[in-house]
Amino acid sequence: MNIPLYPRGFFFARNEIDLPVDVSHFSQQSTVHGSFWFSPETEYAVLEFGRFAFVLLGHAHYVNLDKSVSELADVLELVARAWKGKETRGVEELLYDLAGRYVLFVLGENTAFAYQDAHGMRSVYFNDDASVLTSHERMIADITKAPVGNSRLAELPLALRWSKTRYTGIRAMLPNHRLDMMSASQQRFFPTSANPYVELPVADRVSMVQDLWSEQLRVLASKRTLALSMTGGLDSRTSLAMAREVWGSIRAFTYTATPLQDNAWSRSIYKDEVIVRQLLDVVDVHHRFLHRDEAIDFTSSELGIIEKNSAGQHGRWLLKLYREHVSGENVVHLRGNLNETARNYFHQFTDPVTPMNGLRKLLKEQILQRKPSVGDELQHVMDELEEEFETFGIALVDPSYEPLDLYYWEARQARWFSEVFNETDWAFDTAIPFNHRRIIDLALSFTSQERKEGFLFRELINLNAPLLNFYGVNDTENLYEQGRRVKQKQEPAAHIDGPVKKICLYDSTKGLTGELPYLGQLYIPADQIRRGHSSSVSYVVAELSDAVGSVDIRILIDNSYENMRGAQYLELVAMLDDKLVARHDLAFWPEPFTISITDVAPASRLTLRINSLREVPKPSWEMASRTKIRITSRPSTRPGRKILTDNPFAKVEG
């Protein structure tokens, strides 16, 4: 099972260069204005038109409401005509409706431009004078012999690097910008005006997305075998629903793992398995679970190749499983990850007065969260970011676009997710119908709340496979069960154990700051959800039982909040005589669960406490903290302390 170097890759040089030995398997294609080298898997078309050469590589599909052109050579004819009519303006108008994963070159005697697909899923790197362009970061570093650099931005995770790379003099292209190779500069060409769809009726917007997306799928399915990754999320669900007409021929798969108490990742993807098993009751696809335990290790030489193929890593353990169970001749993986661009992902940072300040606040938090060691260097990193903001004109974009969305689109997705493609290129090609500027514009035209709720995608599911809207999204409960849960939470507490209690509010530096009535539900008020604050309720065990001797206690805990990205915000702890006995991050496990403690003396003091671990004083976090509690007890039948829980995410102490 040989792993090729730089699969689906390319490089371009305007002048003669010395080629490294490791790209000797690439084939050369010369033009009057430079030479290209392509890996064996790379699709491409070349058209020489007058004094110009046009080159399109990857896969591309021109589709609007009137026309559908998917052969590379035919698309290149459209590009050449657009250039002849309006030069850059004509090409860039055409790119609004060009879907796929591609790079387009327009080369002349005194003209040389490069363009990417809408999200930059075909990564492109270039050197200081843009005389060399490649598909992979390590490839251009080896070709140009570029040394490792010292940019502080480049030391951050891929999603925060913007155009910086690990090597001196090497930059990454960002989507929505043309690379002018004559000046080695990137210039924004989209968006440069207001979003044209904000005032269009909702039904018309949904219909347009439906038509543009469906046509891409129709053409893909007619030429390729579709593979589809199924998860418990909305983006995957949308891709599945939109492919309704070809379910019978799809190769579907879900990766999963045995859930471990001390491993949040394994628990998270196991939840995907639980949800997918529900979906498979109503979805007729050929499906396979790819289990972590089945993964085949790589040799050191294989790992060396993989390190070169991708500047990041996402799921290397899956690659051999993909090759064994998903790959095949002409297979294309249908993904939905780019849909996140439209989901108002960082809405909580929106600053309606000064939008760029919202972006700065987000990036500061992301940097400190993902690389805490930055510490005192944060201001230097932010100074580098300000240079990127100026280079890419993000502050000058029309107010109908939110800088937070543009960051997610052009920097986060383009840098991080494109390297996921590079990693999986050995197994299969990948296509995402959402990667189409008109579709993205339509998706971004919905209101902030509609985008946060995934309105467009739920509408598309309803149009194509409405039953899929019944099953929980990142939630193991279906709509009926979720409704029942909400109803139960809204009902007054049916049981208050022992005498009436109060919720005590604490600040770790000031001590007791207030009290609230306790009606069987423990929570932290919104304005108290700050680091170091907590709320608690306490019992003397004798208050819970008429027994004379020691008792066994059963604590029933019911909190329906769940959000994998909300980890380490709110923590529930149980203490006995001021000693920690159990703790649980409220971001996990929305099901009722119990903590049982045996052989507890009547004089013991039981305390249940919710700790706030972050500065998020918002009503939504108060709702997330609300936890119903019921305590029962019975006389102990045998001595000995045991602490047990049926929650796989909770941790017991002692």
Side-chain angles (χ1 to χ4, degrees):
M1 192 180 287
N2 294 326
I3 301 177
L5 187 63
Y6 308 130
R8 306 186 196 283
F10 79 93
F11 63 95
F12 165 74
R14 283 190 283 142
N15 308 308
E16 290 188 9
I17 59 172
D18 295 325
L19 299 182
V21 174
D22 59 10
V23 291
S24 58
H25 61 295
F26 279 35
S27 60
Q28 184 177 0
Q29 174 73 46
S30 296
T31 74
V32 292
H33 301 300
S35 293
F36 291 84
W37 287 261
F38 301 106
S39 72
E41 309 86 2
T42 302
E43 300 174 68
Y44 66 92
V46 178
L47 174 63
E48 298 201 4
F49 187 85
R51 295 177 293 110
F52 290 91
F54 302 89
V55 180
L56 181 61
L57 61 95
H59 62 260
H61 182 181
Y62 179 78
V63 55
N64 60 25
L65 299 177
D66 301 315
K67 182 180 289 188
S68 177
V69 179
S70 60
E71 296 296 331
L72 284 185
D74 296 336
V75 173
L76 210 49
E77 289 279 359
L78 295 179
V79 171
R81 289 202 293 269
W83 174 266
K84 183 179 180 181
K86 302 179 183 177
E87 297 191 341
T88 56
R89 180 183 169 190
V91 170
E92 289 156 12
E93 288 174 354
L94 183 143
L95 291 176
Y96 191 59
D97 285 310
L98 190 58
R101 180 191 179 206
Y102 58 82
V103 186
L104 170 66
F105 289 83
V106 178
L107 305 171
E109 292 178 6
N110 300 303
T111 299
F113 295 111
Y115 296 93
Q116 289 173 294
D117 58 80
H119 272 91
M121 292 297 94
R122 172 62 283 162
S123 57
V124 177
Y125 296 94
F126 62 96
N127 64 345
D128 266 339
D129 62 359
S131 61
V132 177
L133 277 72
T134 73
S135 51
H136 294 73
E137 182 186 83
R138 180 62 181 272
M139 188 198 302
I140 193 170
D142 287 348
I143 289 173
T144 63
K145 299 179 173 57
V148 174
N150 58 4
S151 163
R152 293 178 176 90
L153 264 186
E155 296 172 0
L156 299 177
L158 273 168
L160 295 166
R161 290 181 193 170
W162 293 69
S163 69
K164 297 295 181 71
T165 75
R166 296 172 293 178
Y167 299 97
T168 298
I170 304 299
R171 288 290 184 113
M173 274 191 71
L174 293 193
N176 297 329
H177 296 78
R178 76 178 76 87
L179 173 61
D180 185 339
M181 288 179 265
M182 295 301 181
S183 62
S185 63
Q186 299 191 64
Q187 302 145 2
R188 179 177 293 279
F189 71 87
F190 182 84
T192 56
S193 56
N195 188 311
Y197 297 111
V198 173
E199 301 300 327
L200 193 70
V202 168
D204 291 350
R205 282 180 271 175
V206 173
S207 177
M208 289 176 70
V209 173
Q210 167 76 19
D211 291 345
L212 294 168
W213 193 313
S214 296
E215 174 59 16
Q216 291 182 63
L217 280 177
R218 183 192 68 79
V219 171
L220 274 172
S222 70
K223 298 179 176 182
R224 310 277 188 107
T225 298
L226 300 185
L228 176 70
S229 45
M230 291 176 62
T231 72
L234 183 61
D235 300 329
S236 164
R237 191 81 50 88
T238 305
S239 296
L240 178 62
M242 292 299 294
R244 173 68 183 85
E245 295 301 317
V246 291
W247 279 357
S249 60
I250 281 179
R251 299 182 184 182
F253 62 90
T254 301
Y255 58 85
T256 185
T258 301
L260 301 175
Q261 185 167 315
D262 60 348
N263 188 313
W265 173 84
S266 67
R267 298 193 302 266
S268 173
I269 66 169
Y270 177 72
K271 186 171 73 171
D272 279 341
E273 177 181 337
V274 173
I275 297 170
V276 168
R277 287 191 184 279
Q278 296 174 8
L279 297 177
L280 290 174
D281 284 339
V282 297
V283 175
D284 183 20
V285 295
H286 174 73
H287 179 274
R288 181 184 178 92
F289 286 104
L290 304 179
H291 203 281
R292 181 67 179 86
D293 295 343
E294 301 171 342
I296 305 169
D297 291 336
F298 293 99
T299 65
S300 58
S301 61
E302 287 174 335
L303 284 174
I305 294 172
I306 292 171
E307 290 283 353
K308 286 188 172 186
N309 284 351
S310 177
Q313 59 174 298
H314 175 62
R316 291 179 179 175
W317 65 272
L318 281 161
L319 294 179
K320 289 189 177 181
L321 293 179
Y322 285 156
R323 286 286 297 180
E324 183 175 353
H325 301 296
V326 183
S327 296
E329 187 176 355
N330 223 20
V331 169
V332 62
H333 181 195
L334 199 61
R335 301 191 73 141
N337 306 70
L338 297 185
N339 303 1
E340 290 182 1
T341 297
R343 296 275 299 281
N344 201 6
Y345 198 77
F346 292 121
H347 58 88
Q348 68 270 33
F349 292 93
T350 301
D351 186 329
V353 178
T354 312
M356 286 298 294
N357 284 346
L359 177 58
R360 292 183 180 98
K361 183 179 178 181
L362 162 70
L363 293 174
K364 284 181 180 179
E365 181 171 304
Q366 289 273 299
I367 290 166
L368 291 174
Q369 179 180 327
R370 303 185 67 179
K371 194 174 177 62
S373 60
V374 168
D376 296 337
E377 296 289 306
L378 179 61
Q379 188 53 54
H380 297 295
V381 176
M382 294 306 297
D383 290 343
E384 281 195 48
L385 278 172
E386 290 294 335
E387 294 176 6
E388 296 291 289
F389 297 161
E390 183 174 352
T391 296
F392 296 103
I394 197 166
L396 304 178
V397 172
D398 187 88
S400 58
Y401 295 90
E402 167 63 59
L404 292 166
D405 292 326
L406 291 177
Y407 155 68
Y408 205 92
W409 176 356
E410 299 175 350
R412 185 188 188 280
Q413 294 285 61
R415 294 304 312 278
W416 172 75
F417 198 54
S418 65
E419 293 297 342
V420 175
F421 277 53
N422 287 342
E423 186 179 68
T424 61
D425 272 340
W426 171 48
F428 37 56
D429 199 0
T430 309
I432 301 182
F434 186 78
N435 197 26
H436 180 284
R437 286 184 178 87
R438 190 184 298 271
I439 289 179
I440 299 167
D441 249 1
L442 286 159
L444 290 176
S445 71
F446 289 89
T447 67
S448 174
Q449 186 62 30
E450 287 170 334
R451 293 197 294 118
K452 186 169 68 173
E453 294 172 352
F455 171 79
L456 168 63
F457 302 113
R458 294 179 190 276
E459 286 292 299
L460 292 172
I461 293 170
N462 191 58
L463 280 172
N464 295 277
L467 190 56
L468 295 183
N469 269 331
F470 176 69
Y471 294 92
V473 172
N474 294 322
D475 192 327
T476 56
E477 292 184 339
N478 60 41
L479 284 185
Y480 167 72
E481 292 165 333
Q482 292 174 38
R484 183 181 63 192
R485 180 213 304 166
V486 170
K487 182 179 179 182
Q488 289 170 344
K489 284 184 70 70
Q490 292 172 343
E491 293 172 350
H495 183 89
I496 302 173
D497 302 289
V500 174
K501 294 289 177 182
K502 292 185 181 297
I503 297 174
C504 296
L505 305 176
Y506 291 93
D507 180 329
S508 59
T509 59
K510 299 178 182 178
L512 183 67
T513 59
E515 294 181 337
L516 297 169
Y518 173 67
L519 301 175
Q521 190 177 75
L522 182 62
Y523 68 98
I524 306 183
D527 62 350
Q528 299 292 306
I529 302 181
R530 301 178 182 278
R531 187 178 289 107
H533 285 238
S534 63
S535 66
S536 67
V537 61
S538 296
Y539 298 87
V540 175
V541 171
E543 298 172 345
L544 303 170
S545 173
D546 296 329
V548 176
S550 63
V551 297
D552 297 339
I553 296 172
R554 182 174 181 268
I555 310 164
L556 178 63
I557 297 165
D558 186 0
N559 180 302
S560 61
Y561 173 69
E562 182 180 39
N563 184 345
M564 295 302 173
R565 297 187 180 97
Q568 298 182 13
Y569 278 71
L570 296 168
E571 178 187 51
L572 174 72
V573 300
M575 306 184 73
L576 192 63
D577 294 330
D578 297 324
K579 181 180 179 181
L580 180 69
V581 294
R583 68 195 322 150
H584 174 59
D585 190 319
L586 290 178
F588 305 102
W589 202 252
E591 311 292 337
F593 68 95
T594 59
I595 299 172
S596 300
I597 312 171
T598 65
D599 196 17
V600 181
S604 295
R605 185 175 188 82
L606 174 68
T607 300
L608 296 164
R609 188 175 73 210
I610 296 177
N611 296 324
S612 174
L613 308 178
R614 301 281 187 97
E615 299 280 335
V616 282
K618 298 179 180 179
S620 59
W621 286 103
E622 175 184 315
M623 290 300 298
S625 77
R626 288 186 174 271
T627 304
K628 289 169 37 173
I629 295 171
R630 180 174 179 176
I631 306 172
T632 60
S633 64
R634 61 191 296 272
S636 292
T637 57
R638 63 178 65 181
R641 174 64 49 78
K642 289 185 178 180
I643 305 166
L644 303 169
T645 181
D646 57 357
N647 179 345
F649 296 90
K651 297 180 180 180
V652 298
E653 308 285 340

